[in-house]
């Protein structure tokens, strides 16, 4: 971390002065790690038409945190990660087993998860207020330990991308064709959905439940407006996510707004610009 | 179009078998999808599968592809006579892309034939290989087009080129002419005829387009069971065909 602090000290901002405002420096590093994560995942979330699916996963992460708190864990994150992964696997399984339209299944799961979360968190007459921070998120609360975990996850997602992106692409285009090429679609979907579940859950308390899904949808959606192939798609999505992430953090610092919402608005502007420049 | 002949057949059928389907039955829940389907397919043969929607055409394909549980047997045999695990090329029914889909033809190709991750710059050697593949289907100019921008015929040719990489023993096409205009259709069928003689492979395709049936060697009329099998003329003249496709007050080619 000290190397990072020294690096940031070189920036010409007031908060970048040596030995001051460490929370802001932590937040900047966190943004630099989660925004490429979301930028990468976003390309395949959009390509696989999973915009609402990822929303439901966000809800299940909230349920997990509520259950963890109920059980008295000081840090409920790990129970949330576990539950989100179980939920993602169950979800993938149900979706493969039923012929019902996927938006219906997602509706069933998302509402069940959020209802269970609220039910548990208010059990015994408790106030919901202590969970309010989860709805909006607070990136300034980020700890160096969590940043390290997310850096490791960014590495794992990069490996997943190198090893499995081709199969994900083919499965998104045509599942039966992918199957005829020997791709195990159920396994692939489970793997990808677990990756989303873990990333969403770990960053939930920073970004906020209400806007986290926008981070999984907007970078890819914006990049699609102008990308002509997968390389451009990935690059634009990454750039959009990173630039919006940094810009959103700065805005939230100087204007005093929620970081998650500020980043989302920057992403919306990114989408607006690419929509204006779109290729078709 | 003459079927190519090979000798030394061990599976007991006349001429040379490439694919032999015996008593194939598929049930899904309480529904019987396919019942006692048996037919042989010879090397170089072009067979068309016709039948109303829900007749079990796709289920037959998926059984041959090994994607569906079935009873009965499906065997492959090489020209030399020994049984083998056949390489099957599959051309799916044209998927629909939204027009903003950023996957290009090159991406789709590389994603299916190599392990090079498509989000990284694609090496020239791979690009040349894809270009050569596309040349087989007269599609060299399509390499950089996004798949969402392709016409129905262009997309079919790209999918065909992918199925030929590597060259399979049996080529299966699901409704290759649906969503393709007359020119595209003629081009596709000429191409298929050229391919099967050049690479000595058998082609099984399903179609709703009865006007192209005179180009194939054999027609299978399927509706849960095989109602009629034989040369196109014979099947088209049969009472079974008439009762399924030509009865008054039913839609014609798109029956049921």
């Amino acid at each position: 971390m000290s190397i990072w602090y020294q690096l940031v000290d070189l920036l010409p901002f007031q908060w970048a002065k040596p030995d001051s405002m460490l929370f802001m420096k932590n937040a900047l590093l966190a943004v630099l790690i989660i925004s490429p994560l979301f930028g990468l995942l976003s390309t395949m979330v959009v390509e696989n038409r999973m915009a609402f699916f990822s929303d439901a996963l966000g809800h299940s992460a909230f349920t997990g945190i509520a259950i963890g708190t109920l059980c008295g864990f000081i840090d409920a994150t790990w129970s949330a990660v576990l539950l989100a992964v179980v939920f993602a696997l169950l979800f993938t399984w149900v979706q493969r087993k039923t012929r019902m339209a996927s938006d219906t299944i997602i509706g069933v799961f998302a509402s069940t998860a959020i209802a269970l979360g609220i039910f548990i968190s208010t059990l015994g007459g408790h106030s919901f207020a202590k969970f309010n921070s989860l709805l909006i998120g607070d990136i300034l609360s980020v700890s160096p330990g969590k940043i390290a975990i997310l850096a490791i996850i960014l590495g794992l997602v990069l490996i997943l991308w190198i090893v499995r992106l081709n199969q994900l692409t083919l499965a998104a285009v045509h599942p039966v064709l992918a199957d005829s090429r020997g791709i195990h679609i159920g396994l692939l979907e489970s793997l990808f959905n677990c990756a989303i579940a873990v990333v969403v859950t770990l960053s939930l308390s920073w970004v906020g439940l209400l806007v986290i899904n926008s981070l999984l949808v907007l970078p890819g959606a914006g990049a699609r407006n102008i990308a002509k192939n997968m390389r451009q798609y990935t690059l634009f999505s990454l750039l959009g996510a990173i630039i919006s992430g940094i810009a959103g953090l700065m805005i939230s610092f100087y204007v005093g707004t929620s970081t998650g919402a500020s980043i989302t608005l920057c992403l919306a502007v990114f989408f607006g610009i690419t929509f204006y420049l779109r290729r078709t | 179009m003459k079927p190519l002949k090979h000798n030394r057949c061990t599976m007991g059928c006349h001429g040379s078998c490439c694919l032999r389907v015996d008593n194939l039955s598929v049930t899904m829940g309480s529904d019987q999808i396919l019942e006692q389907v048996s037919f042989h397919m010879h090397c170089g043969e072009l067979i068309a599968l016709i039948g109303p929607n829900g007749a079990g055409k796709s289920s037959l394909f998926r059984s041959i592809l090994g994607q569906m549980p079935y009873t009965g047997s499906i065997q492959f045999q090489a020209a030399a006579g020994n049984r083998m695990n056949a390489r099957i090329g599959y051309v799916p029914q044209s998927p629909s892309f939204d027009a903003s889909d950023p996957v290009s033809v090159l991406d789709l190709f590389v994603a299916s034939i190599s392990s090079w991750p498509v989000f990284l710059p694609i090496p020239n050697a791979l690009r040349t290989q894809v270009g050569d593949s596309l040349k087989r289907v007269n599609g060299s100019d399509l390499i950089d087009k996004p798949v969402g921008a392709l016409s129905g015929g262009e997309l079919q040719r790209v999918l065909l080129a992918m199925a030929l990489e590597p060259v399979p023993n049996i080529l299966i096409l699901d409704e290759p002419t649906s969503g393709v205009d007359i020119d595209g259709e003629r081009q596709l069928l000429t191409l298929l005829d050229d391919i099967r003689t050049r690479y000595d492979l058998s082609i099984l395709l399903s179609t709703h387009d009865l006007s192209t049936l005179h180009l194939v060697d054999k027609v299978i009329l399927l509706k849960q069971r095989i109602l009629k099998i034989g040369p196109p003329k014979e099947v088209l003249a049969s009472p079974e065909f008439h009762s399924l496709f030509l009865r008054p007050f039913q839609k014609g080619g798109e029956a049921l």
Side-chain angles (χ1 to χ4, degrees), chain A residues 28-73:
Chain A
L28 182 61
L29 184 60
V31 163
L32 285 178
I33 288 170
I34 62 169
S35 56
L37 250 181
F38 280 101
L40 274 182
L41 291 176
S42 174
T43 56
M44 278 297 128
V45 165
V46 177
E47 183 68 24
N48 274 303
R49 300 174 196 195
M50 287 170 44
F52 282 103
F53 179 86
S54 55
D55 200 31
L57 283 184
H59 291 165
S60 71
F62 165 70
T63 314
I65 292 176
I67 291 177
T69 314
L70 179 80
C71 299
F73 299 130

Side-chain angles (χ1 to χ4, degrees), chain A residues 47 99 166 181 229-231, chain B residues 28 102 107 116 118 162:
Chain A
E47 183 68 24
R99 290 182 186 178
N166 285 2
R181 291 248 165 202
N229 57 48
M230 288 299 286
R231 284 151 307 287
Chain B
M28 206 189 268
D107 293 334
W116 182 264
V118 290
M162 278 170 57

Side-chain angles (χ1 to χ4, degrees), chain A residues 47 49 99 161-162 165-166 169-170 173-174 176-177 179-181 224 227-231 233-234 279, chain B residues 28 67 90 92-93 95 97-98 100-103 107 111-112 114 116-122 162 165:
Chain A
E47 183 68 24
R49 300 174 196 195
R99 290 182 186 178
W161 239 236
I162 289 170
L165 181 73
N166 285 2
T169 309
L170 209 55
V173 168
H174 203 294
V176 181
L177 176 66
D179 199 328
S180 78
R181 291 248 165 202
R224 269 172 110 78
K228 291 195 198 72
N229 57 48
M230 288 299 286
R231 284 151 307 287
Y233 186 35
T234 311
R279 61 178 167 86
Chain B
M28 206 189 268
Q67 295 181 357
Y90 174 64
Q93 209 166 353
F97 300 104
D98 73 72
S100 73
D101 202 310
V103 177
D107 293 334
S112 56
S114 89
W116 182 264
V118 290
F119 74 103
L120 299 177
I122 288 169
M162 278 170 57
E165 189 69 48

Side-chain angles (χ1 to χ4, degrees), chain A residues 72-150:
Chain A
F73 299 130
I74 299 160
D75 188 352
T77 312
W78 293 111
S79 68
V81 168
L82 188 70
L83 192 88
V85 166
V86 170
F87 183 88
L89 291 175
L90 184 69
F91 203 160
T92 317
W93 182 76
V94 170
Q95 206 166 20
R96 287 179 65 80
K97 285 290 164 198
T98 171
R99 290 182 186 178
M100 215 178 264
S102 66
D103 58 342
T104 311
I105 302 293
I106 290 163
V108 170
F109 270 79
S111 44
T112 309
I114 202 82
L116 188 63
I118 296 173
F119 182 84
I120 289 170
S121 58
T122 54
L123 205 63
H126 285 290
S127 158
F128 186 77
K130 63 180 168 188
F131 291 102
N132 276 354
S133 64
L134 275 184
L135 298 183
I136 311 291
D138 181 12
I139 203 159
L140 300 181
S141 68
V142 62
S143 66
K146 280 267 187 68
I147 298 178
I149 292 171
L150 272 156

